[in-house]
Amino acid sequence: CTMLKKVKVADNSALKKIEKSAFNECRTLLYINIPEGVTEIGERAFYYCTSMTNITIPSTVKTVGRETFYFCISLCKVTNKSDRSVSVGNTGNIIVTVDKDGNVNYPSKNWILTDDDFLFRSYDGEYGLIAYVGSKETVTLPRDYNGKPCNIVSGKGMRKVIIPEGLTSIRE
């Protein structure tokens, strides 16, 4: 699957299982919606999906295979609505997790996830944009965070970008 970017599964789909290695090494896969009703995600199902920035595990999932998300190096946000723990492992990233009750867990207090799915990190009172973890094809870069200017530290998850009026610099 060298060209696959998005997978949209119908909400009323009869899909119950994502088989072992189903999307293994789909390096261009940005997004997949896993609908309610899926009960199993097989071992290494998304192994080496290096472009995927976020994933939501539906509440109906009862089994998540080992190494399912290993080497998903762009993965920054995991929303787990199920009762099962999900091991992400070996992404090389800071992972923000959202549990079934909507609680956001950050790797440290310096991380902020905005309502429009931008992930920021605070550096001594300055803010750096780390990643976009939503599923929109085109995003408008934020000029600031809470009125404070921000630096664009990384463009993970951004495919098409609109530079807003008033943005004065984009650093290395």
Side-chain angles (χ1 to χ4, degrees), residues 6 30-32 51-56 72-79 93-98 104-107 111-120 129-142 154-159:
K6 287 189 175 186
L30 299 169
Y31 173 78
I32 181 170
S51 296
M52 188 166 41
T53 59
N54 72 81
I55 190 80
T56 298
C72 293
I73 60 172
S74 295
L75 189 61
C76 292
K77 179 184 175 191
V78 176
T79 302
N93 279 333
I94 301 300
I95 302 292
V96 173
T97 58
V98 182
V104 180
N105 301 299
Y106 300 99
W111 295 86
I112 301 121
L113 181 64
T114 65
D115 290 340
D116 51 355
D117 290 322
F118 285 101
L119 181 62
F120 286 90
L129 176 61
I130 302 299
Y132 171 70
V133 295
S135 57
K136 292 181 183 174
E137 183 75 22
T138 302
V139 296
T140 300
L141 291 177
S154 169
K156 285 186 181 180
M158 297 180 212
R159 301 294 176 244

Side-chain angles (χ1 to χ4, degrees), residues 9 24 33 60 77 85 99 101-102 128-129 137 142 172:
V9 181
N24 189 347
N33 74 305
T60 52
K77 179 184 175 191
S85 66
D99 67 20
D101 298 320
L129 176 61
E137 183 75 22
E172 178 180 349

Side-chain angles (χ1 to χ4, degrees), residues 34-67:
I34 303 173
E36 291 291 327
V38 170
T39 59
E40 184 176 342
I41 301 173
E43 177 179 315
R44 293 187 174 197
F46 299 102
Y47 189 85
Y48 262 104
C49 289
T50 57
S51 296
M52 188 166 41
T53 59
N54 72 81
I55 190 80
T56 298
I57 311 297
S59 64
T60 52
V61 168
K62 302 298 179 209
T63 305
V64 178
R66 71 181 186 85
E67 298 180 349

